[in-house]
Amino acid sequence: MNPRFEFTIHATDGAARTGTIAMRRGAIRTPAFMPVGTAATVKAVKPADVRAAGADIILGNTYHLMLRPTAERVHRLGGLHGFMGWDRPILTDSGGYQVMSLSDLTKVTEEGVAFKSHLDGSRHMLSPERSMEIQRLLGSDIVMAFDELVPTTADRDRQAAAMERSMRWARRSREGFDAGGEHAENAALFGIQQGALDEGLRSASAEALTDIGFDGYAIGGLAVGEGQEAMFGVLDYAPDQLPAERPRYLMGVGKPDDIVGAVERGVDMFDCVLPTRSGRTGQAFTRAGPINIRNAKFGEDTGPLDPACPCPTCAGWSRAYIHHLVRAGEILGAMLMTEHNLWFYQRLMADLRTAIAQGGLKAFAHDFRALYHGR
Amino acid sequence: MNPRFEFTIHATDGAARTGTIAMRRGAIRTPAFMPVGTAATVKAVKPADVRAAGADIILGNTYHLMLRPTAERVHRLGGLHGFMGWDRPILTDSGGYQVMSLSDLTKVTEEGVAFKSHLDGSRHMLSPERSMEIQRLLGSDIVMAFDELVPTTADRDRQAAAMERSMRWARRSREGFDAGGEHAENAALFGIQQGALDEGLRSASAEALTDIGFDGYAIGGLAVGEGQEAMFGVLDYAPDQLPAERPRYLMGVGKPDDIVGAVERGVDMFDCVLPTRSGRTGQAFTRAGPINIRNAKFGEDTGPLDPACPCPTCAGWSRAYIHHLVRAGEILGAMLMTEHNLWFYQRLMADLRTAIAQGGLKAFAHDFRALYHGR
């Protein structure tokens, strides 16, 4: 029988690490990229094709699922895995981020967050305890602590207050998770470091989290518009503040070169809507940089989206065809583009793992950036 | 090497026949249902999955493709088969129906039809010669003659005039097709019987067409709102007016019970957007009748769309999950629903072929209707 949660580091290269997280539902190779399956589907791709692209784990969104079809319904139907047909690990977020960014927020108190649904205006609440309950009902494999987010542009006092409240909520999340019975025996819980762009706050947050103790640690509150330079500035110290023997997860990141830079700085896990969302808006990732397939110059281009890509889309269809589909608003365009982008991201992670294992990350990252940015 | 076009009838049962059309790009088992691939894609399904559902041939639309990406572009890119990744036979319509129903019609003369694009208002024309040229540029396997359509509600004089013009256009289509060089040596040409609901006009049309000579004969001008009873009324005599040794194709039909009734009356080929369009609007076909998966009663239904269906959708996902996807507007909902509906239609055709071969069509049709209509 597979272990509940066991992180093994196979090799390091500078601050970067490559390893494996062994879990009951399967292994997660790190650095790992988790495709986002917001509403119980990685948009426009069947689960088997998400797996074929190389994904070991996907992400589900507590906020969306609690509103539709509701966590209770998913639970009655046997949990998120059976519901959507994905039998490998699923990480669920806590709902904290979406409740701030998507809902009509009515009140934030020490107890939790009251809000109105963006779908129908109905009233709901989220708290550390309720978030843990929802993630348990969904049958999540990696549960995220419930935290409070404030913009990185807020002043230091507000950042400090939000971070401190998030740490109190992290303890309540730990307690709520641990009270989950059988689910707690099989799933893992991650804490989330806050503190915006302030090294002192980040340090205090890391200390509070490690004092509570989690299976893994997320770096939260980044990739919210601060820019790559500011983000890398935090990543120059934040991973080191977190326990080296635990996976580090940079939430909501990101662009391919964000990921490469974060891996160089010691991050092990990522999630982002970019490959899937871009797939529906006409942006295809290639090693030579992203292309907008709607561009007229691709109208008679008989080559694949990316000559270096072994994915089913690149094996089967031309840029000209996909250009036509996307221009015509055809669903198949979103399907083929999304599948390609998922392969691009997973191949990038595989190459990063190989480079770390071979001690060649610096050269790989240099070459990747030169080609990607056309220099 | 496969023949250009060879129709073999394996068995008959009453007026119904089952057989095979052998063509260069593969065999077509009849009675056959052709999924519609309007804009060079069967919407929301990859070609390999269209084939896996059992389709031997698909349909492409001259009107849509001539406007976007244009027949000339498809030709420069190597033809429709390579462009969309479907290597089996493709039937293309003549554009006659869509130019009447979709475009801003500017002028119909003996020469042809002038119209404005529904996409951008640009001016175009279609004539028998131009339609043949476009279908040749697309690389069509079964080319349809260009005809003029008038509503079944138009008076007899207008019907007669349109039918007679269509017969003159059929001759020009034959000549245009035959001038197509290598394409004409490899592809087939079908004539289209017109005459609305008038037996005399239908008879005159059939005579004119057989006098010209075609590889197959379509029954046109039906399934345009006249109702099943009126359509079956025409089908009680129209197939017999056409050569028995040639395939008969009922254009744009239809609902499952339309198809069963038409097969009983001697029709060999069908096309319709219903399985694909319904797949995008929440209607799933089952042997016990269509269901609207958006209906609240399916929200916690753990069964498959159709308990009798062996398709990938029914093997992998519940009504409850698809209900959720469709309600949430998820692309995967359209994908899973469309694939199921294609399987439903192809299984129906396979069962009809088997029933005819076994001399049991009457019993099959009776049982099918009883279950489908809940009687």
Side-chain angles (χ1 to χ4, degrees):
Chain A
M1 192 178 137
N2 291 337
R4 183 186 64 84
F5 189 91
E6 200 172 280
F7 181 43
T8 308
I9 296 173
H10 304 315
T12 61
D13 186 359
R17 315 98 70 79
T18 180
T20 306
I21 301 170
M23 295 194 76
R24 195 166 54 94
R25 284 200 172 91
I28 303 157
R29 296 162 289 179
T30 68
F33 180 82
M34 301 182 279
V36 176
T38 303
T41 160
V42 176
K43 290 183 194 298
V45 187
K46 289 184 183 183
D49 294 327
V50 175
R51 174 61 185 156
D56 294 330
I57 176 172
I58 61 172
L59 180 144
N61 284 117
T62 282
Y63 172 80
H64 291 84
L65 293 168
M66 73 181 284
L67 297 180
R68 185 172 58 194
T70 76
E72 283 71 16
R73 171 168 281 184
V74 172
H75 182 66
R76 284 194 296 275
L77 293 168
L80 191 53
H81 293 82
F83 185 57
M84 69 181 291
W86 173 264
D87 60 5
R88 291 181 171 268
I90 297 176
L91 180 146
T92 47
D93 65 11
S94 70
Y97 180 78
Q98 273 83 16
V99 82
M100 311 285 176
S101 56
L102 290 180
S103 76
D104 184 2
L105 210 59
T106 53
K107 207 174 179 188
V108 185
T109 65
E110 186 63 20
E111 172 58 21
V113 180
F115 64 96
K116 288 186 187 170
S117 162
H118 73 290
L119 296 175
D120 61 7
S122 57
R123 289 172 182 278
H124 301 267
M125 62 84 59
L126 268 175
S127 63
E129 292 77 15
R130 176 64 179 149
S131 177
M132 295 305 107
E133 183 184 25
I134 290 170
Q135 294 180 74
R136 178 178 60 74
L137 289 169
L138 295 173
S140 171
D141 299 288
I142 301 182
V143 169
M144 299 303 298
F146 186 73
D147 57 355
E148 185 186 4
L149 286 175
V150 292
T152 50
T153 50
D155 65 34
R156 193 179 186 283
D157 284 356
R158 206 173 147 215
Q159 296 291 1
M163 182 277 284
E164 285 159 12
R165 172 174 279 165
S166 289
M167 297 306 102
R168 294 191 296 276
W169 285 2
R171 187 171 292 278
R172 285 167 56 192
S173 293
R174 176 83 259 176
E175 291 165 359
F177 177 88
D178 290 342
E182 195 184 341
H183 179 254
E185 291 164 24
N186 290 306
L189 179 66
F190 278 28
I192 306 175
Q193 183 199 44
Q194 291 295 349
L197 309 181
D198 188 295
E199 186 168 357
L201 293 181
R202 289 269 167 197
S203 174
S205 179
E207 263 184 60
L209 291 176
T210 49
D211 189 50
I212 300 168
F214 291 93
D215 295 304
Y217 295 86
I219 300 168
L222 294 179
V224 289
E226 74 280 5
Q228 191 186 72
E229 196 182 346
M231 182 172 79
F232 282 176
V234 173
L235 294 181
D236 283 338
Y237 57 76
D240 257 353
Q241 297 173 332
L242 298 167
E245 74 282 8
R246 295 289 174 183
R248 301 157 181 159
Y249 162 30
L250 181 57
M251 303 181 81
V253 172
K255 292 181 187 167
D257 56 337
D258 291 339
I259 290 176
V260 171
V263 165
E264 288 181 293
R265 289 166 174 82
V267 175
D268 307 300
M269 298 169 70
F270 302 88
D271 82 276
C272 190
V273 296
L274 203 55
T276 41
R277 181 172 293 166
S278 296
R280 300 192 304 284
T281 58
Q283 186 182 52
F285 291 95
T286 86
R287 283 294 166 104
I291 61 172
N292 184 341
I293 199 64
R294 300 181 67 95
N295 194 305
K297 73 180 174 189
F298 299 122
E300 301 201 3
D301 187 332
T302 55
L305 287 177
D306 184 348
C309 180
C311 85
T313 299
C314 289
W317 295 276
S318 65
R319 287 174 167 184
Y321 180 60
I322 299 167
H323 167 89
H324 163 69
L325 291 178
V326 171
R327 285 248 187 153
E330 287 288 348
I331 288 175
L332 185 61
M335 291 162 59
L336 297 180
M337 288 281 289
T338 302
E339 193 169 1
H340 166 77
N341 283 345
L342 288 178
W343 276 70
F344 177 91
Y345 266 71
Q346 294 299 338
R347 280 209 314 134
L348 174 59
M349 305 317 292
D351 288 351
L352 286 164
R353 293 192 294 265
T354 302
I356 296 167
Q358 297 175 343
L361 180 60
K362 192 172 173 179
F364 173 82
H366 174 271
D367 293 348
F368 175 84
R369 282 189 281 260
L371 180 57
Y372 196 76
H373 297 293
R375 287 191 294 262
Chain B
M1 192 178 141
N2 291 338
R4 183 187 64 84
F5 189 90
E6 201 172 282
F7 181 44
T8 309
I9 296 174
H10 304 316
T12 61
D13 186 0
R17 313 100 68 80
T18 180
T20 305
I21 302 170
M23 294 194 76
R24 195 167 54 94
R25 284 199 171 93
I28 304 157
R29 296 162 289 180
T30 68
F33 180 83
M34 302 182 278
V36 176
T38 303
T41 160
V42 175
K43 290 184 194 298
V45 187
K46 289 184 183 182
D49 294 327
V50 175
R51 175 61 184 155
D56 294 331
I57 176 171
I58 61 172
L59 180 145
N61 284 117
T62 281
Y63 172 79
H64 291 85
L65 293 168
M66 74 180 283
L67 298 179
R68 183 172 60 193
T70 76
E72 284 71 16
R73 172 168 282 183
V74 172
H75 182 65
R76 284 194 296 274
L77 293 168
L80 191 52
H81 293 82
F83 185 56
M84 69 181 291
W86 173 265
D87 61 6
R88 290 180 173 269
I90 296 176
L91 179 147
T92 47
D93 65 12
S94 70
Y97 179 78
Q98 273 82 17
V99 82
M100 310 285 174
S101 57
L102 290 179
S103 77
D104 184 2
L105 208 58
T106 53
K107 208 174 179 188
V108 185
T109 64
E110 186 64 22
E111 171 58 22
V113 180
F115 64 96
K116 288 187 187 170
S117 161
H118 74 290
L119 295 174
D120 61 7
S122 57
R123 289 171 183 278
H124 302 267
M125 62 83 59
L126 267 176
S127 63
E129 293 76 17
R130 176 62 179 150
S131 177
M132 295 305 107
E133 182 184 24
I134 289 170
Q135 294 180 74
R136 178 178 60 75
L137 289 169
L138 295 173
S140 172
D141 299 287
I142 300 182
V143 169
M144 298 305 298
F146 186 72
D147 56 356
E148 185 186 5
L149 286 175
V150 293
T152 50
T153 51
D155 63 36
R156 192 179 186 285
D157 284 355
R158 207 172 147 215
Q159 297 291 0
M163 182 277 283
E164 285 158 13
R165 173 174 279 166
S166 289
M167 296 308 101
R168 295 192 294 275
W169 285 3
R171 188 171 292 279
R172 284 167 56 191
S173 293
R174 175 85 259 176
E175 291 165 0
F177 176 88
D178 290 342
E182 194 184 344
H183 179 254
E185 292 164 25
N186 291 305
L189 179 66
F190 278 27
I192 306 176
Q193 183 200 44
Q194 291 294 349
L197 309 180
D198 188 295
E199 187 167 357
L201 292 180
R202 289 270 167 197
S203 174
S205 179
E207 264 183 59
L209 291 176
T210 50
D211 189 49
I212 301 168
F214 291 94
D215 295 305
Y217 295 85
I219 300 168
L222 295 179
V224 290
E226 74 280 6
Q228 191 186 72
E229 196 181 347
M231 182 172 79
F232 283 175
V234 173
L235 295 180
D236 284 338
Y237 57 75
D240 256 355
Q241 297 173 332
L242 298 167
E245 74 282 7
R246 296 289 174 183
R248 301 157 181 160
Y249 161 32
L250 181 58
M251 304 181 80
V253 172
K255 293 181 187 167
D257 55 338
D258 291 339
I259 290 176
V260 172
V263 165
E264 288 181 292
R265 290 166 173 82
V267 174
D268 307 300
M269 299 170 68
F270 302 89
D271 82 277
C272 191
V273 295
L274 203 55
T276 42
R277 180 173 293 166
S278 295
R280 300 193 304 284
T281 59
Q283 185 183 52
F285 291 95
T286 86
R287 284 293 167 105
I291 61 172
N292 184 342
I293 199 64
R294 301 181 66 96
N295 193 305
K297 72 179 174 189
F298 299 122
E300 300 200 4
D301 187 332
T302 55
L305 287 177
D306 184 348
C309 180
C311 86
T313 299
C314 289
W317 295 276
S318 65
R319 288 174 167 184
Y321 180 60
I322 299 167
H323 168 89
H324 163 69
L325 292 178
V326 171
R327 285 249 187 153
E330 287 288 348
I331 288 175
L332 185 61
M335 292 163 58
L336 297 180
M337 288 280 290
T338 303
E339 194 170 0
H340 166 78
N341 283 347
L342 288 178
W343 276 70
F344 176 91
Y345 267 70
Q346 295 299 337
R347 280 208 313 134
L348 174 59
M349 304 318 293
D351 287 351
L352 286 164
R353 292 191 294 264
T354 302
I356 296 166
Q358 297 176 343
L361 180 60
K362 192 172 173 179
F364 173 83
H366 175 271
D367 293 349
F368 175 84
R369 282 189 282 260
L371 179 57
Y372 195 76
H373 297 294
R375 288 191 294 260

